[in-house]
């Protein structure tokens, strides 16, 4: 009953809030003209205007400028234009740029715990991940982890579930992964290393050539849309699912904490609102493009789309447990964050089972 009363009370407050917009235009103009303007830089880990992700960073900057009525202008730099892509974290921490757009698993070298905010093999999908971050305590842990680096993190996009990767041999048992040189970053790379593969780190720009020349035997990338644009279907026979290593890919907006704390409240809210819109829009844009490009791959190429055998997935899942166990034994932040993550994943399971697994 108390919850219901609380709900009705909140609904009443919300209903009355429309009245609060009655400020006359002269007052509004004066207020805007006396306010300070800001010119910020956003570095990214993407090549300039990279489909959906780099474009998303561009949109975040555009939305912030529009919502602030021009009081905040953000110049977006592709990876390498101002600083190398994987130096974004240090650039924002040190104030070379005020913001960056990327993904937190790139910062595992700064703290292993960053990885749990991007994606966990056999972990939560995008919707569950967002639920944990926004409502299950994830964001608070993320902020605590980044505060010593003078950074404010916020979710700002998601790839949704990725694909398992491109192979030139069938994967029928674990032994087919043995000896394979596969491009796979992050926790997934550590897992396939346990399965006897060599996890290779290639930047996106080099994957195609490496696969074509046999420097690598297999690769994961993102999903049908980006993978089609990369042309992997021209040089690989099999396209496997599920993307067990990346059941989602949460994108991250980093803001220099000193700069963020010095902003007026409304601009802080505008930045958070733009990041939130990116979170919602990128995810559905991925789904929109991936369904189109999955059809294109099916109709335009000879590539065979296969599911990993259940027994292979089961073994990889066990290796994932071992990899995470090793990380949390060595790092107390990882332990604390993974405990929160896995507790949420466990607790939400009952609801997912009755709501979606039918
Ligand atoms: Ca990937």
């Amino acid at each position: 009953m108390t919850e219901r009363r609380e709900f009705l009370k909140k609904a009443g407050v919300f209903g009355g809030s429309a009245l609060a917009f009655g400020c006359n235009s002269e007052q509004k103009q004066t207020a805007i003209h006396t306010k300070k303007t800001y010119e910020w830089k956003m570095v990214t880990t993407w090549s300039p205007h990279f489909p959906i992700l780099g474009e998303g960073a561009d949109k975040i900057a555009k939305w912030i400028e529009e919502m602030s009525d021009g009081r905040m202008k953000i110049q977006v730099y592709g990876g390498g234009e101002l600083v190398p892509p994987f130096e974004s974290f240090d650039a924002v921490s040190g104030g070379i740029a005020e913001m960056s757009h990327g993904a937190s698993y790139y910062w595992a070298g700064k703290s292993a715990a960053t990885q749990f905010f991007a994606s966990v093999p056999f972990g939560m999908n995008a919707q569950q991940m967002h639920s944990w971050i926004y409502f299950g305590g994830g964001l608070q842990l993320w902020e605590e982890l980044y505060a010593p680096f003078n950074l404010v993190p916020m979710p700002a996009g998601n790839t949704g579930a990725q694909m398992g990767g491109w192979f030139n041999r069938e994967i029928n048992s674990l032994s087919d992964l043995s000896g394979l040189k596969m491009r796979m970053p992050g926790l997934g790379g550590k897992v396939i290393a346990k399965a006897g593969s060599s996890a290779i780190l290639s930047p996106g720009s080099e994957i195609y050539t490496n696969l074509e020349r046999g420097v690598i035997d297999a690769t994961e990338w993102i999903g049908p849309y980006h993978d089609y644009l990369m042309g992997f279907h021209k040089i690989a026979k099999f396209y496997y699912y599920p993307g067990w290593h990346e059941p989602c890919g949460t994108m991250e907006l980093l803001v220099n904490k000193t700069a963020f704390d010095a902003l007026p409240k409304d601009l802080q809210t505008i930045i958070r609102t733009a990041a939130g819109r990116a979170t919602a829009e990128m995810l559905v844009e991925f789904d929109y493009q991936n369904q189109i490009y999955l059809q294109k791959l099916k109709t335009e190429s000879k590539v065979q789309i296969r599911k990993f055998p259940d027994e292979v997935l089961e073994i990889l899942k066990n290796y994932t447990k071992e990899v995470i166990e090793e990380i949390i034994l060595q790092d107390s932040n990882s332990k604390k964050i993974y405990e929160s993550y896995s507790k949420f994943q466990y607790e939400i399971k009952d609801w997912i089972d009755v709501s979606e697994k039918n």
Side-chain angles (χ1 to χ4, degrees):
M1 276 311 282
T2 321
E3 269 186 32
R4 184 173 175 274
R5 265 203 302 275
E6 195 58 28
F7 171 74
L8 291 172
K9 203 168 85 187
K10 280 182 184 167
V13 169
F14 181 74
S17 67
L19 297 171
F21 290 102
C23 100
N24 78 46
S25 62
E26 217 167 277
Q27 284 168 338
K28 203 172 144 196
Q29 287 293 325
T30 315
I32 286 169
H33 286 147
T34 54
K35 278 178 184 169
K36 196 178 161 187
T37 58
Y38 296 82
E39 290 194 7
W40 277 19
K41 298 183 186 80
M42 187 202 293
V43 291
T44 68
T45 57
W46 323 118
S47 32
H49 322 297
F50 184 75
I52 306 184
L53 301 171
E55 289 168 352
D58 295 340
K59 284 185 200 168
I60 291 170
K62 179 173 157 277
W63 294 330
I64 291 172
E65 185 171 341
E66 286 174 359
M67 282 191 278
S68 68
D69 203 14
R71 284 164 55 219
M72 179 165 250
K73 286 190 168 59
I74 296 164
Q75 175 77 40
V76 180
Y77 295 89
E81 288 185 334
L82 188 65
V83 296
F86 297 146
E87 285 177 24
S88 301
F89 187 97
D90 285 338
V92 180
S93 177
I96 293 170
E98 290 83 1
M99 285 180 154
S100 89
H101 190 260
S104 65
Y105 52 23
Y106 294 138
W107 322 129
K110 302 287 172 193
S111 164
T114 60
Q115 300 172 94
F116 297 111
F117 299 104
S119 196
V120 177
F122 299 98
M124 293 192 274
N125 69 14
Q127 191 171 330
Q128 294 152 23
M129 183 73 148
H130 295 165
S131 186
W132 173 62
I133 291 172
Y134 285 117
F135 296 100
L139 186 58
Q140 198 188 337
L141 290 166
W142 201 356
E143 286 172 347
E144 279 171 20
L145 181 70
Y146 280 40
F149 299 99
N150 197 35
L151 292 170
V152 178
M154 49 193 87
N158 206 306
T159 64
Q162 301 199 3
M163 284 291 282
W166 297 86
F167 297 80
N168 271 315
R169 67 161 82 148
E170 282 184 84
I171 307 299
N172 295 318
S173 71
L174 196 72
S175 61
D176 295 315
L177 290 173
S178 182
L180 211 62
K181 287 175 286 179
M182 181 166 186
R183 185 263 177 195
M184 185 177 279
L187 292 169
K190 292 195 170 65
V191 174
I192 59 164
K194 280 190 183 277
S197 301
S198 306
I200 311 281
L201 282 179
S202 307
S205 55
E206 291 169 20
I207 305 174
Y208 185 92
T209 319
N210 285 350
L211 187 60
E212 194 181 28
R213 292 184 185 164
V215 177
I216 53 174
D217 307 307
T219 186
E220 71 81 51
W221 179 230
I222 305 178
Y225 176 45
H226 290 83
D227 293 12
Y228 179 96
L229 298 180
M230 290 285 255
F232 295 139
H233 54 288
K234 295 174 190 158
I235 47 170
K237 289 187 194 134
F238 303 101
Y239 193 22
Y240 270 89
Y241 66 95
W244 57 270
H245 62 298
E246 284 183 282
C248 75
T250 314
M251 299 300 132
E252 165 195 82
L253 188 72
L254 289 178
V255 188
N256 177 282
K257 193 171 183 305
T258 310
F260 189 76
D261 290 346
L263 287 177
K265 262 272 174 283
D266 64 333
L267 289 180
Q268 291 182 349
T269 303
I270 283 170
I271 291 172
R272 288 196 187 280
T273 304
R277 181 171 170 185
T279 298
E281 279 196 17
M282 263 190 230
L283 178 61
V284 289
E285 192 178 356
F286 267 99
D287 270 342
Y288 173 74
Q289 297 289 6
N290 280 335
Q291 52 95 20
I292 293 173
Y293 281 82
L294 179 63
Q295 291 307 327
K296 277 169 95 73
L297 285 168
K298 281 182 172 175
T299 53
E300 291 176 18
S301 77
K302 291 196 174 90
V303 70
Q304 296 187 42
I305 297 167
R306 299 274 177 89
K307 184 176 187 291
F308 287 118
D310 288 345
E311 55 274 24
V312 170
L313 291 172
E314 204 49 48
I315 298 165
L316 292 172
K317 199 172 184 176
N318 287 331
Y319 285 149
T320 298
K321 283 180 195 153
E322 289 178 23
V323 165
I324 293 174
E325 199 60 37
E326 286 160 17
I327 292 171
I328 65 177
L329 266 175
Q330 288 169 12
D331 176 38
S332 60
N333 282 327
S334 293
K335 185 170 187 292
K336 187 175 162 190
I337 290 162
Y338 184 68
E339 272 172 5
S340 168
Y341 177 100
S342 58
K343 182 170 176 278
F344 191 85
Q345 185 183 5
Y346 177 78
E347 287 173 354
I348 204 170
K349 192 180 170 298
D350 280 349
W351 166 236
I352 302 303
D353 285 347
V354 298
S355 61
E356 292 183 18
K357 289 205 174 146
N358 297 303

